[in-house]
Amino acid sequence: MTMIKGYRRPDGKVGIRNHLLLLPTVVCANQVVNRIQQQVPGSVAIPHQHGCSQVGDDKERTHKVLVGMGKNPNVGAVLVVSLGCEVMNAEQIRDEIAETGKPVIWIDIQDEGGSVNTIKKGTEIAKELEQKIASIPYENISLSELIVGVKCGGSDATSGLCSNPALGRTSDMIIDKGGSIVMGETTEIIGAEHILAEKAVNEEVTKKLYDSIAKFETEIERMGVDMRGSNPSPGNIEGGLSSIEEKSLGCISKAGTAPLQGVVDFASEIPGKGFYFMDSPGNDIECVTGMAAAGIQLVCFTTGRGTPTGNPIVPVIKISGNEVMAKRMADNIDVDTSPVLQGKESLQQAGERIFKEIVSVASGELTKAEILGHQEFSISRIGISL
Amino acid sequence: METKEKTFGAGVSCIVMNQNDNVVTLLRSINKGEVLTFQIEDQTCTLTAKEDVAFGHKLALNQIKIGDTILKYGESIGIATTTIEEGEHVHVHNLIGVRGRGDQ
């Protein structure tokens, strides 16, 4: 049995990090949260642009992401900071996160009497929470408790030739050992959905997959735009990718060969073991955010053009197939699979190297993105600002 | 998928992902007039590049007529907007994706 090291949470879930999360419920609380974070360097903050002037599904999505970030097992404790007059219901956010059994404290800027008081009180609470979670034991845990997000971004031709198929081998190894894989990016399976659909375990899953794609294509039609205005991106095109279909065909190999167990909504918890698809935008930061809010503990991210992308609470392992970029951006890339293209290594061997990296990172080793402090966070929206 | 089983030989300059493909992907930048050697299944094939083309980009394996489907990984990646001659660069100037097109 392959073992990793992690933290067992009161609800039984396993985290591979032990973060203290500072969570603003609304954009108006960002500065206060950032100042608390400066006083408590071991904490992570998720400033964002939302939380007010939102209605319906759009409001629900922001709520779901904020709660999901707090519930993620990589988080040991949460400090929620609200303004007091926003659309988000801070009390409800606190209560839903507290269902996990982890410590959650909520403070409100209007109640506390302004920024200075809230920063002072928030800093004291954060330091107490930090001490509280510092005593949580670090245990040996089976890799079968790991849910790995697979993502690609800043793709070039090498992504489809080696880094994604190599990661596909790794995905098979994770699933063989009882773990789970989640792939996102609905816009980036367009043109390759028939291949993915063949793997679906039943008709319901197939239908949900096709419905997810239809929803995006209907929206593109409604707006009357050519998707290629943004996808493939200018960098994708310079790297040799000519169409969304070509990008998608290279993209899907990273999930490996396992059957598709289900299609989940953005930021929704993964209901079982094996391979799942998350209906989510192709945008790198929004997609990884959706995975983190779903409770994924680790993301494997392939890139040919190079990206520094990280996440505040989820380690992001960067994998490349482009030798020149991997050397030029060595401070961002964790695994270089380009020896495959030079005939020096098989896809299986490259996949095994990625697997070893996952085991190391899931046992405490920091990713390049973590070392550099990359904590990109962005909530996807489905409506207008009011 | 076919791609998963593909192996890359040392010093190989380009690769055909599936025997049905009509494009070859370059594993290094090449110059006009260069003769490329590659395998399709067990057959060794050659192709002369008609222009300078960058790493990661594609060349036509044979003549592709306007409106024809362009295949990579054995699947459609779009259609030709002009007739593309053997050895010519295949990219956004002569290939158009047919999906995600709300403008049509």
Side-chain angles (χ1 to χ4, degrees):
Chain A
M1 194 192 287
T2 307
M3 302 302 279
I4 55 172
K5 285 187 182 294
Y7 304 87
R8 179 76 62 185
R9 302 298 174 198
D11 61 353
K13 297 220 164 83
V14 166
I16 58 168
R17 295 292 184 269
N18 196 29
H19 292 301
L20 165 59
L21 178 68
L22 309 181
L23 189 161
T25 56
V26 62
V27 58
C28 316
N30 281 353
Q31 171 66 353
V32 165
V33 161
N34 285 337
R35 293 303 291 266
I36 298 169
Q37 201 275 327
Q38 285 168 1
Q39 308 301 322
V40 190
S43 64
V44 289
I46 49 167
H48 57 89
Q49 300 306 308
H50 312 300
C52 210
S53 317
Q54 292 181 281
V55 288
D57 290 347
D58 188 47
K59 175 190 153 197
E60 288 311 311
R61 174 170 287 203
T62 296
H63 176 90
K64 196 170 166 185
V65 170
L66 294 177
V67 170
M69 292 298 284
K71 282 182 137 176
N72 186 294
N74 285 353
V75 170
V78 186
L79 172 61
V80 177
V81 182
S82 59
L83 175 63
C85 53
E86 65 269 39
V87 156
M88 284 299 119
N89 184 333
E91 190 174 8
Q92 198 185 335
I93 289 172
R94 186 219 27 212
D95 291 350
E96 285 179 34
I97 297 171
E99 284 169 13
T100 58
K102 63 178 86 171
V104 191
I105 309 253
W106 162 43
I107 54 172
D108 183 280
I109 297 169
Q110 289 169 357
D111 280 351
E112 295 300 331
S115 296
V116 174
N117 285 346
T118 316
I119 292 164
K120 188 166 173 290
K121 186 165 175 186
T123 303
E124 283 167 10
I125 295 168
K127 287 201 185 284
E128 281 167 23
L129 288 173
E130 200 176 32
Q131 285 177 7
K132 211 175 210 171
I133 63 171
S135 61
I136 297 173
Y138 194 46
E139 304 170 29
N140 284 319
I141 283 156
S142 163
L143 181 134
S144 64
E145 303 218 34
L146 201 58
I147 312 173
V148 177
V150 292
K151 169 84 184 83
C152 52
S155 301
D156 71 356
T158 65
S159 304
L161 298 182
C162 84
S163 53
N164 283 335
L167 179 56
R169 302 300 178 100
T170 315
S171 295
D172 286 346
M173 291 175 218
I174 298 281
I175 290 175
D176 282 348
K177 293 189 183 298
S180 301
I181 293 294
V182 180
M183 182 168 90
E185 308 179 86
T186 310
T187 47
E188 297 185 19
I189 60 164
I190 292 177
E193 65 270 45
H194 56 294
I195 299 168
L196 207 52
E198 278 171 20
K199 298 195 207 174
V201 291
N202 59 40
E203 297 232 329
E204 193 192 328
V205 175
T206 306
K207 184 178 182 302
K208 190 145 189 213
L209 183 74
Y210 279 114
D211 285 351
S212 306
I213 295 161
K215 199 176 59 190
F216 268 103
E217 283 201 305
T218 304
E219 186 63 10
I220 291 161
E221 273 169 33
R222 187 184 69 80
M223 293 177 71
V225 292
D226 173 0
M227 193 174 152
R228 294 169 309 155
S230 134
N231 200 336
S233 72
N236 294 148
I237 290 171
E238 203 185 314
L241 297 175
S242 312
S243 66
I244 187 64
E245 295 96 309
E246 184 179 8
K247 193 174 166 186
S248 297
L249 289 162
C251 173
I252 57 164
S253 59
K254 63 183 182 280
T257 58
L260 177 64
Q261 301 292 340
V263 176
V264 298
D265 294 333
F266 185 78
S268 285
E269 216 172 310
I270 310 305
K273 292 275 187 190
F275 167 40
Y276 282 83
F277 181 80
M278 179 180 285
D279 182 14
S280 55
N283 178 287
D284 293 347
I285 312 302
E286 291 181 9
C287 183
V288 174
T289 294
M291 290 177 168
I296 286 163
Q297 304 107 317
L298 187 144
V299 168
C300 286
F301 191 116
T302 63
T303 178
R305 303 288 296 172
T307 172
T309 303
N311 181 270
I313 59 166
V314 170
V316 180
I317 297 173
K318 238 68 66 51
I319 302 153
S320 178
N322 184 323
E323 185 191 13
V324 176
M325 185 283 296
K327 285 188 174 138
R328 200 171 55 221
M329 291 180 64
D331 58 345
N332 298 112
I333 304 300
D334 298 279
V335 183
D336 177 12
T337 64
S338 67
V340 171
L341 295 183
Q342 297 141 16
K344 293 175 184 165
E345 188 179 40
S346 68
L347 286 171
Q348 181 65 25
Q349 287 168 325
E352 282 164 15
R353 280 200 292 127
I354 300 169
F355 182 79
K356 277 185 193 153
E357 184 71 12
I358 291 172
V359 173
S360 299
V361 169
S363 301
E365 187 188 291
L366 296 179
T367 62
K368 299 274 178 80
E370 285 178 293
I371 291 165
L372 295 171
H374 276 285
Q375 300 187 348
E376 288 75 19
F377 174 77
S378 178
I379 305 172
S380 99
R381 292 198 62 183
I382 42 181
I384 54 164
S385 283
L386 298 179
Chain B
M1 232 177 99
E2 195 68 24
T3 46
K4 301 176 69 61
E5 304 309 322
K6 219 70 202 170
T7 54
F8 299 83
V12 169
S13 56
C14 61
I15 189 154
V16 178
M17 300 305 290
N18 181 286
Q19 58 174 335
N20 299 321
D21 289 358
N22 49 15
V23 292
V24 57
T25 305
L26 299 175
L27 299 179
R28 62 173 172 80
S29 296
I30 52 112
N31 298 317
K32 180 180 176 179
E34 263 194 68
V35 180
L36 306 172
T37 307
F38 51 91
Q39 297 285 126
I40 298 180
E41 297 293 285
D42 293 332
Q43 273 201 307
T44 303
C45 309
T46 60
L47 179 72
T48 305
K50 287 227 165 57
E51 49 199 312
D52 294 355
V53 180
F55 164 75
H57 286 238
K58 298 171 290 299
L59 296 182
L61 269 174
N62 43 47
Q63 190 192 60
I64 305 168
K65 293 200 167 65
I66 184 167
D68 280 357
T69 299
I70 299 175
L71 296 164
K72 180 179 171 182
Y73 305 106
E75 302 284 341
S76 168
I77 59 166
I79 56 171
T81 55
T82 61
T83 293
I84 309 169
E85 298 301 330
E86 179 183 312
E88 277 184 1
H89 185 200
V90 177
H91 202 33
V92 292
H93 61 294
N94 54 20
L95 180 162
I96 197 157
V98 296
R99 298 292 302 278
R101 298 298 305 276
D103 59 330
Q104 285 186 337

